Amino acid sequence: MSSHTTRRRFTLAALAAASFLGSAQAAEPIKIGLVTALSGQSALAGEAITRGMTVAIDEINAKGGLLGGRKLELVRRDDEANPAKGVTAARELIYREKVAVLFGGLDTPVSIAIVQLANQEKVPFMGPWAAGTPITKNGAKPNFAFRVSAVDEIVDRGMLAYAQKTFGAKNPGMILVNNPWGESNEKGLTAALTAKGMKAAAIEKFNDSDVDVVPQLTRLKAAGADALFMVGNVGPSAQVVKSLDRMGWQVPIVSHWGPAGGRFTELGGPNAKNVHFVQTYSFFGKQSPVGDKVVAALKAKYPDIKGPDNITPAVGVANGYDALHLAAQAIAKAGSTDGDAVRQGFYKIDKYEGLIKTYDKPFSEANHDALSENDYVWAQFIGNRILPVGLDKP
């Protein structure tokens, strides 16, 4: 065999091997991580986020995936609403699963802990639920944390405006969970009140494990509170409502969106319906073409979904859906799954017609939150349905 023939065969073999490796790399999935509460009282919210992300992933994969045909794959872990467990889960997704983007943190304390790791390891973090202001405003440079969700300091201004407009509140009090999420909202509500020349009647805290909040509420009543700003997840918020029942005190409650995360009416009793809380989206009422498409996809994929009653909590689905599409656009703009390239890819997103709204340059170096005060709706429980306030039926 001539040396020319040998070289030719070697070249062809090398080309074939390179082609095989290129095809294998192209076929390798792009993993998207999700760390959230998948058990416990907030499991419903974790499942809603999962469903919104999954519908978006299905749409992207049906169109051929990203980066030349690589399909997206969702990898989930349960944080059990515990920051230490959340960080352990995030480490596994970053180091072992090599996720391109890490979604997560239903609870603000969990998110804050995970974001520190994400910034350290230069892995883009996307928040589809937790609203604590310091999640995205974390002081890191560069900052890898982005969010499609409510933001405490913006929600807090909205809570005050809503309490004044709807209930004529002049002397509101605060009942806040005793953790970083409560602290974030205490700062935001205090700033909102100060900007209007007001101050809180009183500020009271409660713990996740409290089963009786009557002492704190009694002090708020004695201080003359004519409305309550409430911040807490499902279980603790239900205890506030039940404690008010025991006292026989009927006072307007304007809440952050914690009650939407699970079985609030079951845990809180008949007066749970009197709590008005913020949302980023509702599947009730006339939908946009994107809304109609998402509802149809949810019905087709999940047999338990017959209509908007079953898409709950809606914000988990909506935030997860839009956040996943925006993350996919960032990966596409980056042209790779390199963490810093994807971070910069978020800044290159121009316009995206999403479920919650049409996003126009949603992220910049100065702003890592895609939603503003114009993107919120107010809701309440009617039975087990989360409906916009004033909308008694779909």
Side-chain angles (χ1 to χ4, degrees), residues 23-295:
S23 299
Q25 187 176 27
E28 184 183 334
I30 298 171
K31 292 184 178 180
I32 306 294
L34 172 61
V35 178
T36 190
L38 298 172
S39 59
Q41 293 174 336
S42 296
L44 195 62
E47 179 59 26
I49 293 168
T50 300
R51 290 182 173 192
M53 292 176 67
T54 299
V55 167
I57 286 171
D58 287 349
E59 290 177 1
I60 292 163
N61 286 346
K63 292 179 180 177
L66 297 173
L67 306 182
R70 295 174 65 184
K71 299 297 177 72
L72 298 185
E73 178 184 319
L74 180 62
V75 188
R76 300 191 306 167
R77 295 292 184 272
D78 187 2
D79 61 31
E80 300 177 41
N82 180 298
K85 291 182 178 179
V87 170
T88 298
R91 286 183 182 280
E92 184 179 338
L93 292 178
I94 291 170
Y95 302 138
R96 185 183 302 173
E97 300 292 345
K98 311 290 186 187
V99 297
V101 180
L102 180 63
F103 280 62
L106 189 75
D107 302 270
T108 288
V110 179
S111 283
I112 289 173
I114 293 175
V115 162
Q116 290 176 350
L117 176 66
N119 277 327
Q120 175 188 312
E121 298 303 323
K122 297 180 168 44
V123 174
F125 172 92
M126 172 58 77
W129 187 286
T133 302
I135 292 168
T136 48
K137 294 189 175 181
N138 54 57
K141 291 184 180 181
N143 179 11
F144 284 77
F146 298 85
R147 177 163 46 190
V148 178
S149 183
V151 184
D152 285 342
E153 64 181 11
I154 300 174
V155 170
D156 294 333
R157 293 196 293 270
M159 287 171 70
L160 175 56
Y162 187 81
Q164 289 181 307
K165 179 181 177 181
T166 307
F167 301 113
K170 293 183 173 60
N171 194 35
M174 302 184 206
I175 181 76
L176 313 172
V177 65
N178 188 22
N179 69 18
W181 188 32
E183 292 167 13
S184 173
N185 283 281
E186 182 179 353
K187 289 178 183 175
L189 287 165
T190 300
L193 287 163
T194 301
K196 293 197 173 185
M198 302 169 68
K199 65 177 184 178
I203 301 171
E204 293 289 339
K205 303 287 182 70
F206 59 95
N207 294 312
D208 277 334
S209 56
D210 288 351
V211 294
D212 182 18
V213 197
V214 169
Q216 295 97 312
L217 294 171
T218 299
R219 289 192 289 270
L220 284 162
K221 186 177 183 181
D226 58 2
L228 296 181
F229 295 132
M230 181 171 73
V231 177
N233 280 330
V234 181
S237 294
Q239 295 301 339
V240 172
V241 172
K242 289 199 289 188
S243 293
L244 284 168
D245 287 346
R246 286 195 290 273
M247 292 172 63
W249 185 23
Q250 294 187 332
V251 61
I253 303 177
V254 177
S255 175
H256 210 307
W257 65 8
R263 311 186 318 271
F264 185 60
T265 49
E266 176 189 331
L267 297 170
N271 283 330
K273 67 181 184 298
N274 297 327
V275 176
H276 290 199
F277 51 91
V278 73
Q279 298 281 267
T280 54
Y281 195 76
S282 173
F283 286 97
F284 289 96
K286 183 172 174 55
Q287 298 291 300
S288 68
V290 177
D292 287 334
K293 177 179 69 174
V294 171
V295 171

